Amino acid sequence: MNLCNVNVVKRLMSKYQTGTKKSFGQNFLINPQVPSDIAYESYSYHKSKFPHCQSGVIEIGPGIGSLTNELCCEYDKVVAVEIDKTLIPILAETLSEHENITVVNEDFLKIDLGEFINEHFGSSSVSVCANLPYYITTPIIMKLLEQARKENGQSRLTSITVMVQREVAARLCASEKDGDYGAITASINYYGHAVKLFDVSPDNFLPAPKVTSSVIRIELYDEPVYKTKSEKMLFRVIEGAFAQRRKTMVNSLSSVFSEIPKSRIGEIITGLGFDINIRGERLSIKDFCALADAFCEEINH
Ligand code: SAM
């Protein structure tokens, strides 16, 4: 069954008395080349990291299964999480030829990801692959990043290959020299490295979204390249630095760190060699780690 054929999609929807739902961000792929390319990009990276292990992937939002089908052909094990219960019987039909798929009817944002990975994959490293529902792109990526490292510091997610809106992709893949750089970019740079792979125009979806999409891959480090004394402090500093985007870091951080006098925040920033008027979007993850350590020392003394 060609799951990217518009007539097949419509026939399945009608057979199971359902339709595409805007509230769940449903835009189904209708060009078979796109899910094939996304699955290839996900799997080839995963396999390059773990050539001799069983391969596993989590898909968020399988829809009617076009990307899932490709992932099942590449990976040894696929677990797909779909919120829309009306799609579950469709997936049972469209994926019936695969024995390596488990479909879970849950809201991905509500699952305990650590437990979920243990239950389905044991201690193996897994990748994530999805054509993301755009209304929750940021919370999904933040949830994945938080899970990216085990308690003992070892990575258990290998990579995150996702389709997002092109503007969001620019932010996720930005460097501190770009205008698109923000708190989520700095967070990604702590856990790994994001690369943009290719653009996908609106006519590849049913229904067509208003904007162009891009596929990106976040390649997660086994260990962070730059270390910090406290990850909690690091993310507090990153959030604080971008809390008031048009403001200097001194002003933005002082609104978040009310326990430290503003003049002292200025001294910490200049003490690390930064200009007093610097803004958060100029700081690399290495700079943020240094700043977080300085804030730790300040608060603990
Ligand atoms: N993978 C399919 C494709 O590429 O054609 C569908 C992608 S569609 C953009 C997003 C999918 O995510 C939909 O199937 C939608 O129902 C599902 N979804 C939306 N919110 C979700 C959530 N919180 N948890 C799990 N799935 C979700």
Side-chain angles (χ1 to χ4, degrees):
M1 197 183 316
N2 177 2
L3 298 176
C4 288
N5 179 300
V6 176
N7 292 329
V8 171
V9 180
K10 287 184 177 163
R11 205 169 58 238
L12 282 165
M13 291 283 171
S14 145
K15 178 175 171 189
Y16 289 94
Q17 296 180 337
T18 187
T20 53
K21 298 181 188 70
K22 212 174 165 186
S23 58
F24 286 147
Q26 291 177 354
N27 299 95
F28 298 144
L29 283 165
I30 50 165
N31 174 355
Q33 192 60 46
V34 181
S36 165
D37 289 350
I38 298 174
Y40 172 79
E41 290 292 351
S42 171
Y43 181 72
S44 58
Y45 182 79
H46 186 98
K47 207 61 192 165
S48 73
K49 295 287 283 183
F50 298 100
H52 306 298
C53 299
Q54 286 269 319
S55 58
V57 66
I58 299 171
E59 185 190 7
I60 304 157
I64 64 160
S66 58
L67 176 58
T68 328
N69 183 50
E70 298 294 334
L71 292 170
C72 287
C73 295
E74 302 276 16
Y75 282 90
D76 294 317
K77 180 162 186 177
V78 182
V79 181
V81 184
E82 174 56 62
I83 195 171
D84 182 355
K85 68 175 188 313
T86 70
L87 297 178
I88 305 302
I90 299 187
L91 288 163
E93 177 177 336
T94 59
L95 301 172
S96 60
E97 71 183 53
H98 300 289
E99 288 178 357
N100 56 344
I101 173 75
T102 305
V103 176
V104 179
N105 181 206
E106 294 264 15
D107 178 344
F108 182 77
L109 289 177
K110 293 199 178 138
I111 64 174
D112 180 324
L113 195 50
E115 265 180 31
F116 185 86
I117 294 173
N118 282 340
E119 183 189 333
H120 292 281
F121 299 95
S123 58
S124 322
S125 283
V126 286
S127 285
V128 171
C129 188
N131 169 12
L132 285 181
Y134 293 164
Y135 73 111
I136 44 170
T137 299
T138 303
I140 287 179
I141 289 185
M142 289 313 292
K143 181 173 177 130
L144 293 171
L145 290 178
E146 278 156 25
Q147 187 57 43
R149 298 180 60 229
K150 279 188 195 167
E151 268 148 38
N152 67 4
Q154 292 295 302
S155 170
R156 55 180 338 194
L157 286 183
T158 307
S159 65
I160 303 167
T161 305
V162 282
M163 178 132 65
V164 298
Q165 288 175 304
R166 185 165 59 181
E167 290 68 25
V168 177
R171 201 159 73 236
L172 300 179
C173 300
S175 81
E176 64 274 16
K177 293 164 202 85
D178 302 333
D180 292 313
Y181 189 78
I184 193 163
T185 329
S187 305
I188 286 177
N189 292 349
Y190 178 68
Y191 292 110
H193 168 70
V195 284
K196 183 172 157 178
L197 299 170
F198 54 88
D199 285 338
V200 182
S201 59
D203 57 338
N204 289 286
F205 300 86
L206 181 79
K210 290 201 174 67
V211 293
T212 296
S213 304
S214 301
V215 177
I216 65 152
R217 183 172 59 220
I218 304 173
E219 302 168 357
L220 296 159
Y221 301 137
D222 295 336
E223 283 288 322
V225 173
Y226 297 105
K227 304 272 190 298
T228 173
K229 287 181 183 146
S230 160
E231 286 184 5
K232 200 169 162 208
M233 179 63 82
L234 174 66
F235 291 108
R236 201 174 159 209
V237 168
I238 291 174
E239 289 298 328
F242 292 99
Q244 292 168 299
R245 222 181 142 73
R246 303 270 162 254
K247 295 205 171 179
T248 62
M249 272 224 313
V250 177
N251 284 330
S252 198
L253 284 172
S254 64
S255 69
V256 175
F257 288 90
S258 51
E259 67 272 44
I260 309 177
K262 189 172 166 184
S263 58
R264 183 68 196 125
I265 291 180
E267 284 169 15
I268 295 173
I269 288 173
T270 53
L272 290 168
F274 302 120
D275 188 279
I276 187 74
N277 293 318
I278 197 164
R279 291 170 197 270
E281 47 267 48
R282 287 279 164 267
L283 262 63
S284 67
I285 188 61
K286 182 180 176 198
D287 299 332
F288 276 118
C289 285
L291 201 55
D293 288 354
F295 271 73
C296 271
E297 270 178 32
E298 181 69 22
I299 287 172
N300 294 333
H301 280 106

